[in-house]
Amino acid sequence: MPISPSQIRRLLEENKDAFSGFNLQTYELLKAYRKGWAEYGSLPLDQRIGRMKGVPLPAGARPLEDGPVDDKGIVRFPCRWANREEGHDWVRQVLTGITTFAVDGSQIFPSKDLSLPIALIQIGWFENPHLPTGSYKKDIRLEILTPDDLKTGPQGQLGDRRVNIRRFEMEIERLVEFMESCADSQRCLVFFDGSLVVTFAEPFDDESQAAYVQAILKLLKASEQYRVPLVGYVDTSYAHDLTRLLHHTCALLETERIHDAQVLTPYLDWGDRSPLYRCDRGGILEQYGELCDRIGFTYLKTTRDNYPVRLEIPLWLWEAGQLDAVLDWVRAEVVVGGGYPYAIETADQTAVLQTQDRQVFYRILQEWAEQESIKLRFSRKMVSKVRRR
């Protein structure tokens, strides 16, 4: 039965006061936090550090960069173009000869509609040297998870989480392989599609947490060992690292309603960014060992209307004096991709498993099972779905 628009409108009207009150409270908090950022963020580095005396740890963020910030605490992008052609000329100057690399993944989860516990993972990658010839490399890698791979716990339940973990590991393994093979590491940029701080894993069991942490540590260590610039790109971030810092340093009301990107967005024009801060979130970062305080972050404005994106980097990159060059590479990739890094977008398109791919997988699986005399049963529900689609 289709949804009832009249009931939705009636329910919304009945709860109008609750929504209006929430909006008003949030707006007042947001104003206070934005004022706090303009005050704190625009201070010289030594004063920002000084304001942190007595702040309980973890503080959320710790200031690092003594860069040229304005009275809103923002590092301005110095280039402004009169037209699109000027912008594309700048992109060519910045990106020509710079190899960008990204990996993404997709999966077919185990299904209760299938009698055999099985999953398929596909990762895809895109390598672009940005040469006048227009050459690039694009490929995929597959892995099947067996019933033994998918056991999680004493009852041997099917584990979607195990699939997600293995996909995460495969993506990072491919990124590390690329880093190991870089002929000119100073002219390469590796994009990791997500945060280098795996906070999302905190609700999981200890074994799952350890798997995510060990994988991301391999990536961070490889970046530093091979001196290959690495950027964790978070397109939509709800992190509270700066707001936690402002809560302590500006005596603001503690809140989970406000996130960093909301606070910064009115102060940023395209290409502008926040100064670099050290991530001091605590939680799962405590499992990073010697690298627990070696991740920095900045917020970069990459579109006119949306919130800034969050960029995370291993701190060796900043210490080596490469931050500004790498951020220009990111800006240029965003221009090419129309608001999103072209390398990440293309890796996603390469890796994604469409409905047709799933049907091909199940057909090959069925044929193989018959050939090998392995019992395989599809539920009536799955057969019906396949027929309808």
Side-chain angles (χ1 to χ4, degrees):
M1 175 176 273
I3 198 170
S4 170
S6 62
Q7 289 191 44
I8 294 174
R9 292 189 184 95
R10 177 175 56 79
L11 291 169
L12 288 171
E13 187 63 29
E14 289 175 0
N15 292 281
K16 179 177 66 175
D17 291 345
F19 290 115
S20 297
F22 178 86
N23 274 346
L24 181 60
Q25 293 171 12
T26 303
Y27 177 67
E28 293 300 325
L29 277 171
L30 187 53
K31 282 202 306 183
Y33 270 85
R34 285 173 174 170
K35 180 180 178 182
W37 170 260
E39 174 198 340
Y40 177 80
S42 60
L43 293 173
L45 178 63
D46 59 343
Q47 293 184 36
R48 278 182 281 152
I49 293 174
R51 288 274 287 270
M52 296 194 65
K53 290 180 179 177
V55 169
L57 301 179
R62 306 186 75 82
L64 281 175
E65 188 179 11
D66 192 14
V69 297
D70 65 7
D71 61 350
K72 302 299 182 184
I74 301 301
V75 180
R76 298 295 174 188
F77 181 51
C79 299
R80 292 290 179 256
W81 309 304
N83 51 53
R84 181 173 295 182
E85 289 71 23
E86 286 187 7
H88 286 293
D89 286 343
W90 178 85
V91 168
R92 281 190 290 271
Q93 293 171 14
V94 168
L95 269 188
T96 297
I98 304 300
T99 300
T100 54
F101 187 81
V103 179
D104 205 350
S106 186
Q107 67 283 316
I108 298 174
F109 287 111
S111 172
K112 294 179 181 178
D113 294 318
L114 193 65
S115 62
L116 187 67
I118 188 171
L120 178 71
I121 301 172
Q122 175 171 284
I123 63 167
W125 57 88
F126 179 63
E127 178 181 343
N128 188 353
H130 292 100
L131 295 174
T133 58
S135 61
Y136 60 85
K137 294 178 182 177
K138 208 165 41 168
D139 209 343
I140 61 168
R141 179 179 295 169
L142 293 170
E143 185 169 305
I144 283 178
L145 300 190
T146 69
D148 286 341
D149 297 324
L150 295 168
K151 288 179 181 177
T152 62
Q155 303 304 317
Q157 307 99 324
L158 291 178
D160 288 1
R161 184 176 299 166
R162 182 56 204 152
V163 178
N164 287 328
I165 289 172
R166 184 58 193 140
R167 169 184 159 175
F168 188 84
E169 292 171 338
M170 288 176 66
E171 290 175 9
I172 285 184
E173 286 166 5
R174 185 64 188 93
L175 292 172
V176 171
E177 287 175 11
F178 173 78
M179 290 178 175
E180 292 171 342
S181 66
C182 279
D184 186 358
S185 63
Q186 300 300 305
R187 297 185 64 76
C188 292
L189 173 60
V190 168
F191 282 103
F192 176 73
D193 186 13
S195 175
L196 300 177
V197 184
V198 292
T199 304
F200 67 86
E202 287 184 352
F204 300 162
D205 60 273
D206 291 347
E207 183 179 353
S208 297
Q209 286 188 32
Y212 280 111
V213 169
Q214 290 308 308
I216 206 72
L217 288 180
K218 288 180 182 177
L219 182 62
L220 291 168
K221 290 176 180 177
S223 172
E224 183 161 9
Q225 178 181 352
Y226 299 107
R227 312 304 282 182
V228 177
L230 167 68
V231 170
Y233 192 96
V234 187
D235 183 68
T236 304
S237 172
Y238 296 98
H240 297 87
D241 298 330
L242 292 178
T243 56
R244 186 172 185 176
L245 173 64
L246 294 174
H247 158 64
H248 291 298
T249 57
C250 299
L252 294 171
L253 181 68
E254 187 172 13
T255 180
E256 292 294 315
R257 295 185 188 179
I258 308 299
H259 53 81
D260 298 349
Q262 283 178 295
V263 173
L264 295 171
T265 194
Y267 301 135
L268 296 165
D269 294 320
W270 193 95
D272 296 340
R273 66 176 179 90
S274 64
L276 188 70
Y277 278 74
R278 187 191 310 270
C279 187
D280 186 26
R281 190 179 298 172
I284 205 163
L285 266 179
E286 296 172 4
Q287 300 181 38
Y288 280 43
E290 62 184 13
L291 297 181
C292 67
D293 62 350
R294 299 290 296 161
I295 295 173
F297 69 92
T298 180
Y299 288 88
L300 176 71
K301 187 71 167 174
T302 57
T303 60
R304 186 182 65 179
D305 299 323
N306 295 329
Y307 289 140
V309 302
R310 180 180 170 109
L311 305 179
E312 297 178 352
I313 65 162
L315 285 183
W316 75 262
L317 192 61
W318 171 66
E319 293 165 349
Q322 293 182 249
L323 178 63
D324 289 337
V326 168
L327 292 181
D328 274 348
W329 297 346
V330 174
R331 291 183 181 101
E333 271 283 314
V334 167
V335 172
V336 176
Y340 192 75
Y342 185 72
I344 300 179
E345 180 182 28
T346 309
D348 170 75
Q349 294 170 352
T350 304
V352 67
L353 289 165
Q354 307 282 2
T355 300
Q356 182 180 356
D357 300 316
R358 297 171 192 274
Q359 293 173 352
V360 169
F361 170 64
Y362 288 131
R363 187 183 71 245
I364 293 173
L365 175 62
Q366 186 175 29
E367 293 171 352
W368 173 81
E370 291 174 357
Q371 175 186 321
E372 299 298 327
S373 300
I374 295 175
K375 291 182 179 180
L376 176 65
R377 183 183 60 82
F378 293 89
S379 71
R380 291 182 181 179
K381 179 180 178 182
M382 176 176 279
V383 172
S384 175
K385 283 183 178 180
V386 170
R387 284 174 179 168
R388 289 197 306 270
R389 295 173 184 174

